[in-house]
Amino acid sequence: MAKITLRLIADTLGISVATASKALKDYPDISQKTKRDVKELAATLKYKPNSFAQSLRNQESKIIGLIIPEIVHHFFANIIHGVIKAAEKEGYLVITLQSDESYENEKKQIELLLEKNVDGILISLAEDTVNFKHIKAIIDEGIPVVLFDKISKLIKCSQVVIDDRKAAFEATKYLIDSGCKTIAHVRGPLKPQTTIHRFLGYKDAIEAHGMIYDKALVFEADHLSYEDGRKVAKEILASNQNIDGIFAFTDLLATGLLVKLKEAGVMIPEEVSIIGFSNWFLSKITSPTLSTVNQPGLEMGMAAFKLLFEELSNKKNKVPTEFVTVEIPTNLVIRNSTR
Amino acid sequence: MAKITLRLIADTLGISVATASKALKDYPDISQKTKRDVKELAATLKYKPNSFAQSLRNQESKIIGLIIPEIVHHFFANIIHGVIKAAEKEGYLVITLQSDESYENEKKQIELLLEKNVDGILISLAEDTVNFKHIKAIIDEGIPVVLFDKISKLIKCSQVVIDDRKAAFEATKYLIDSGCKTIAHVRGPLKPQTTIHRFLGYKDAIEAHGMIYDKALVFEADHLSYEDGRKVAKEILASNQNIDGIFAFTDLLATGLLVKLKEAGVMIPEEVSIIGFSNWFLSKITSPTLSTVNQPGLEMGMAAFKLLFEELSNKKNKVPTEFVTVEIPTNLVIRNSTR
DNA sequence: CATAATTTCGAAAACGATTTCGGTGGCTAT
DNA sequence: ATAGCCACCGAAATCGTTTTCGAAATTATG
C-alpha cells in the first residue's frame, strides 16, 4: 500500500495537487463540490499531511522544548505535566530534556532543540548557570523563550515565578499568629536566589511582628536532603534556644527535622511547630502531616506554556510581544505539624 | 542576516549545493581541499542543517514518542528520565505524553505522535486499555513500538517488564525467613495484571514454605492510596488474626498501613513487619523506614529505548527484528519496617 | 599520442505541501 | 460582438537537503 499524499488524492480525483490542497483548507476559490470530494476521499484514505513537508514550507514544527534541572522531582514533574497539558490543547507537542543542574548540559540541550527546529523553548535554569549568553543568543535568533521557577531577571523574556519572599512571610506569620515565640529558619545552600528570598520573607515577618531577628536562629543545611534535615535537627536540639517554631526551606528538610525531633522526644506540634515549603507529596504522609506552602507546579507549567504560545502567535502575526512576569499565587496548606 | 543554508555556502564558495552537501558528509568523490573549505565555512557561519528538509528527504525525524499513564509519579518519572537519557545518547529526542489511564487519550495521543512522524513509540498501557487494535495498527504501519511496565502479551512487539510474581515471592519469603508466622497480603484493585502476579507470588511463597494459604489474610484496597492503606489497617486490626507480617501491593499502601498501625499502638517491626513494593522516594522517610522491592524505573526506561533503537536500526538496514521481552531484575531493599 | 582509468564536480530529480499568479470558460451588460 | 466579470482551477516556484548519474578534467597506460 502506497503512502497517502496529496498527489495520490489529486490523481484519483483527476484534479491538481494545488486544488486538493486548497480544498482541504477551505480556500474560497474552490467549488463546494470539489471540496466535498476531496475531503471525503481524504477521510476514507485516512490522509495525514506529511508534517516534514508542512514544516519545511511553513517554517514551524509545532513542537516546543522544555529543559528542567531534574525530572524525578515532585515539583518539576508537575511542571512537565502542566506544560504538556497546556501545549496539547493548542496542538503543540513537547520535547523534554534534563540539564542535571549543569550549565554545559543546558547549552548542549538548547543546541539539540534548535537543531530540531522547535518553535520555542521553556527553561528552568540550572544551578550552575551564571552566564546567560546562551539564552540571550537564542532569543536574538528570534526563538521565543520563557523562563520559569529558576529564572534570571537579567534575561529579557517572559517569566513565570512565585513570590518566594511573600510566601515565606506568610508561612512565618502563621507560626507567629499561632503562638510561636522563638522561630528558627532552616535555609538551604546559598546558590539559588530562592534561598535568599525565603530567608528575607522569614526575616520580614519576624520584624513586622515586633520580634527581633536573631542570627542564631538561622540554620544552614548543606543540601536539601532528608538527611540534612536530621542533621540540622540535632544542631537545633543542641543549641538550647527554646525554639518552638521552624520554617524550613523545603519539605524534605522539614521532614528530616520532624522525624529527628520526634525521635528525640519532642512533641510536634505541641512543643515545636514545623512548616515546610513546596507541598510535596510526602508532606501528606509524614506523621504528623506537614504544614507547608503550596508551590503550584501544574499551574506554573501551564502559565509558562501560555506565555510562550502568545509569543508564538504574535510572532506569526508580526506583532511585537511585551515581556511579562507572571506570578503564580502560593497558598498555605495547614496540616498537623503546626498548632 | 540571512539564513545559513547549503545554497549560501555553495554560492560563496563558487561550488554547487550538491558538492557542499557531499563535502560535509565526507563523500569519497570530493577532494580534500573542497572538503576543508566547506567544513571551515560551515563552522564559521555556524551552519545547521534544516531538520525539516533532512527529515523530508530521509523519512526519519530522530524523535520518538513516549506515552505513560501518569507523569507525576515516582516510578514513571524515573522511566521518563531513563528513556530521555538513553535516547539523547543516540541522538534521539523524546516527546512525552500522558494518557491519564484512559484508552481514548491513548488513541488520540498515538495519532498526535504519528502526525509528527515520530520514528517509534514507547508505551505503558493505560488501565482502561483492553482493546489493542490501535497499537497493532501502528505496528502494522511499520512504526516500531516497545511496551513497558503495563504491557500485554497479546501484542507482538518487544517489551520490558519486571517479574512481579518472583519479586512478590522474594518479598514474602523474606517475611517468612525473618520469623513471621501469619502473613497478610494487601492487594490493589483487580484491573492491572500486576495485581494478580504479585498476589500469586505471595501465595507461592506461603505454600512453598509449608504454610497454608488463607483467603482471610488477603485484603483488597479500592485504590492504591495512602488513605486506603489506613482503611485496610483498620480492617486488619479488627480482624483479630494475629497478623505479624504484611506484604503490600505498593509503597503508598504500605505507608498508610504503617502509619495507622503505629497510631493504634502496634510496634513496627517488633509486632508486625511490613514490606512494600516499588521503592518510592517516600519509603526512605517513613518512620520506621520502609522495606520494599526496588522497581528500577530508570533501568526499565533505558532498556525500553534500547530495544526501540535496535529495531529502528534494523529497519534502516532492512533486517527483520526478533521481538524480545527483557526482564529487568528487581531487588529487595531491606530497611527498618521488617525484622 | 591516443586511449583508458581516475578524480572531481554539478544538474536534476526527488521528498510533499503551500501559495502566488495567471488562465480558462461561461456569463451578463452594453 | 465586445468588453467585463465571475467562479473555478492549475502550473510552477518554494522550502533545504540528499543522492544518483553523467560529464568534465586530470592522470595514467600502452
Side-chain angles (χ1 to χ4, degrees):
Chain A
M1 47 168 196
K3 240 184 249 152
I4 317 292
T5 68
L6 275 188
R7 163 104 269 136
L8 184 70
I9 292 185
D11 285 354
T12 70
L13 247 41
I15 59 176
S16 77
V17 182
T19 307
S21 171
K22 288 194 283 191
L24 284 176
K25 316 195 93 196
D26 271 327
Y27 270 56
D29 64 343
I30 301 295
S31 70
Q32 290 306 320
K33 178 180 170 347
T34 308
K35 283 185 187 172
R36 256 201 313 276
D37 290 352
V38 173
K39 285 180 183 173
E40 205 171 293
L41 186 58
T44 62
L45 291 183
K46 294 191 180 172
Y47 164 73
K48 288 195 199 70
N50 181 307
S51 69
F52 302 147
Q54 285 182 316
S55 294
L56 179 59
R57 185 57 226 235
N58 307 332
Q59 306 292 354
E60 63 165 7
S61 59
K62 290 278 188 175
I63 295 178
I64 62 162
L66 170 63
I67 301 181
I68 54 175
E70 197 182 346
I71 292 172
V72 183
H73 186 295
H74 190 256
F75 173 66
F76 283 123
N78 267 298
I79 292 269
I80 299 179
H81 184 196
V83 171
I84 288 178
K85 196 172 156 183
E88 205 179 334
K89 265 187 210 146
E90 303 291 350
Y92 280 79
L93 294 182
V94 182
I95 291 178
T96 309
L97 249 18
Q98 165 166 320
S99 69
D100 281 327
E101 302 279 11
S102 140
Y103 167 67
E104 286 304 325
N105 283 341
E106 196 174 278
K107 248 185 7 186
K108 239 178 283 168
Q109 289 167 345
I110 288 176
E111 275 308 306
L112 290 179
L113 291 174
L114 291 184
E115 273 172 26
K116 282 283 180 299
N117 290 285
V118 295
D119 294 339
I121 303 184
L122 261 27
I123 308 182
S124 185
L125 261 22
E127 245 176 47
D128 259 25
T129 301
V130 277
N131 168 344
F132 306 121
K133 265 184 279 179
H134 58 310
I135 312 270
K136 286 176 182 163
I138 48 178
I139 295 178
D140 288 344
E141 265 192 61
I143 312 283
V145 171
V146 172
L147 258 37
F148 61 91
D149 190 51
K150 308 261 195 73
I151 57 130
S152 164
K153 303 223 163 153
L154 299 179
I155 303 177
K156 282 194 184 53
C157 68
S158 288
Q159 319 203 343
V160 176
V161 295
I162 59 168
D163 189 337
D164 276 289
R165 187 162 181 170
K166 194 172 119 199
F169 182 93
E170 297 295 339
T172 311
K173 181 177 184 309
Y174 184 88
L175 292 178
I176 297 172
D177 289 349
S178 67
C180 298
K181 301 293 177 206
T182 312
I183 301 174
H185 174 47
V186 180
R187 63 190 287 173
L190 271 177
K191 257 191 204 162
Q193 287 273 327
T194 45
T195 309
I196 297 162
H197 292 147
R198 290 183 201 168
F199 161 69
L200 289 175
Y202 157 79
K203 190 152 168 273
D204 288 351
I206 294 291
E207 290 170 346
H209 289 80
M211 302 168 69
I212 38 171
Y213 164 67
D214 179 0
K215 232 171 144 181
L217 289 172
V218 176
F219 297 82
E220 183 168 338
D222 295 336
H223 310 281
L224 302 178
S225 70
Y226 172 74
E227 278 310 324
D228 274 57
R230 296 178 63 98
K231 225 185 281 176
V232 173
K234 280 188 227 167
E235 294 174 28
I236 287 180
L237 289 168
S239 78
N240 268 331
Q241 291 185 94
N242 285 326
I243 289 167
D244 59 357
I246 307 177
F247 165 52
F249 179 76
T250 189
D251 285 349
L252 205 48
L253 279 178
T255 304
L257 289 163
L258 186 151
V259 172
K260 183 69 198 172
L261 289 179
K262 255 182 42 183
E263 284 175 19
V266 178
M267 306 270 284
I268 314 281
E270 292 77 6
E271 299 178 72
V272 178
S273 283
I274 300 180
I275 193 161
F277 205 108
S278 284
N279 193 21
W280 284 15
F281 182 76
L282 65 93
S283 56
K284 275 183 254 183
I285 57 148
T286 53
S287 53
T289 55
L290 187 66
S291 296
T292 186
V293 175
N294 184 41
Q295 193 181 5
L298 194 80
E299 285 79 2
M300 288 182 75
M302 293 180 62
F305 175 78
K306 271 178 205 158
L307 287 180
L308 188 68
F309 179 65
E310 263 178 54
E311 202 169 331
L312 253 18
S313 307
N314 286 341
K315 194 179 157 194
K316 233 184 278 180
N317 306 328
K318 321 244 175 204
V319 179
T321 299
E322 250 180 74
F323 298 135
V324 295
T325 295
V326 170
E327 205 182 286
I328 304 293
T330 58
N331 56 294
L332 280 181
V333 178
I334 297 306
R335 297 206 181 84
N336 301 320
S337 66
T338 47
R339 272 162 282 174
Chain B
M1 48 166 195
K3 238 182 251 152
I4 317 292
T5 67
L6 276 188
R7 163 104 269 137
L8 183 70
I9 293 184
D11 286 354
T12 70
L13 245 42
I15 59 176
S16 77
V17 183
T19 307
S21 171
K22 287 193 285 191
L24 285 175
K25 316 196 93 196
D26 270 327
Y27 269 56
D29 63 344
I30 301 294
S31 70
Q32 291 305 321
K33 178 179 168 354
T34 309
K35 282 186 188 173
R36 256 200 314 277
D37 291 351
V38 172
K39 284 180 182 172
E40 206 171 293
L41 186 58
T44 61
L45 291 182
K46 293 190 181 172
Y47 164 74
K48 288 194 198 70
N50 181 308
S51 69
F52 301 146
Q54 284 182 317
S55 294
L56 180 59
R57 183 59 226 232
N58 306 332
Q59 305 292 354
E60 64 165 5
S61 58
K62 290 278 188 176
I63 294 179
I64 62 161
L66 169 63
I67 300 181
I68 53 174
E70 199 182 344
I71 293 172
V72 183
H73 185 295
H74 190 256
F75 173 66
F76 283 123
N78 267 299
I79 293 269
I80 299 179
H81 185 196
V83 171
I84 288 178
K85 196 172 157 183
E88 205 180 334
K89 263 186 212 148
E90 304 291 351
Y92 280 79
L93 294 182
V94 182
I95 291 178
T96 309
L97 250 18
Q98 165 165 321
S99 69
D100 282 326
E101 302 279 11
S102 140
Y103 167 66
E104 286 304 326
N105 283 341
E106 195 174 280
K107 248 184 9 185
K108 239 179 283 167
Q109 290 167 346
I110 287 176
E111 276 308 306
L112 290 179
L113 291 174
L114 291 184
E115 274 172 26
K116 283 282 180 299
N117 290 285
V118 295
D119 293 340
I121 303 185
L122 260 27
I123 309 183
S124 184
L125 261 22
E127 247 178 45
D128 259 26
T129 301
V130 278
N131 168 346
F132 306 122
K133 265 184 280 179
H134 58 310
I135 312 270
K136 285 176 182 163
I138 48 178
I139 295 178
D140 288 344
E141 265 190 61
I143 313 283
V145 171
V146 172
L147 258 36
F148 61 90
D149 190 51
K150 308 262 196 72
I151 57 129
S152 164
K153 304 223 162 152
L154 299 179
I155 303 176
K156 283 194 183 52
C157 68
S158 287
Q159 319 202 343
V160 177
V161 295
I162 60 168
D163 189 337
D164 277 288
R165 189 162 179 169
K166 195 173 119 200
F169 182 94
E170 296 296 339
T172 310
K173 180 176 185 309
Y174 184 88
L175 292 177
I176 297 171
D177 289 349
S178 67
C180 298
K181 300 294 177 207
T182 313
I183 300 173
H185 174 48
V186 180
R187 64 192 285 174
L190 271 176
K191 257 190 204 161
Q193 287 273 327
T194 45
T195 308
I196 297 162
H197 291 148
R198 290 185 201 167
F199 161 70
L200 289 175
Y202 157 80
K203 190 154 167 272
D204 288 351
I206 294 290
E207 290 169 347
H209 289 80
M211 303 168 67
I212 38 170
Y213 164 68
D214 179 0
K215 231 170 145 182
L217 288 173
V218 177
F219 297 81
E220 183 168 337
D222 295 336
H223 309 281
L224 302 177
S225 71
Y226 172 72
E227 278 310 323
D228 275 57
R230 297 177 63 98
K231 225 185 282 177
V232 172
K234 280 187 226 167
E235 294 173 29
I236 288 180
L237 288 169
S239 78
N240 269 331
Q241 291 185 96
N242 286 326
I243 289 166
D244 60 357
I246 307 177
F247 165 52
F249 179 75
T250 190
D251 285 349
L252 204 47
L253 279 178
T255 304
L257 289 162
L258 186 150
V259 172
K260 183 70 196 172
L261 289 179
K262 254 181 43 182
E263 283 175 18
V266 178
M267 305 270 284
I268 315 282
E270 293 76 8
E271 298 178 73
V272 178
S273 283
I274 301 180
I275 193 161
F277 205 107
S278 282
N279 194 20
W280 284 16
F281 182 76
L282 65 93
S283 56
K284 275 183 254 182
I285 58 148
T286 52
S287 53
T289 54
L290 187 67
S291 295
T292 186
V293 176
N294 184 40
Q295 192 181 7
L298 195 79
E299 285 79 2
M300 287 181 75
M302 293 180 62
F305 175 78
K306 270 177 207 158
L307 287 180
L308 188 67
F309 179 66
E310 262 178 55
E311 202 169 331
L312 253 18
S313 307
N314 285 342
K315 195 179 156 193
K316 232 185 281 181
N317 306 330
K318 320 244 175 205
V319 179
T321 299
E322 249 181 75
F323 298 134
V324 295
T325 295
V326 171
E327 204 181 286
I328 305 293
T330 58
N331 57 294
L332 281 182
V333 179
I334 297 306
R335 299 207 180 84
N336 301 319
S337 65
T338 46
R339 273 162 282 174

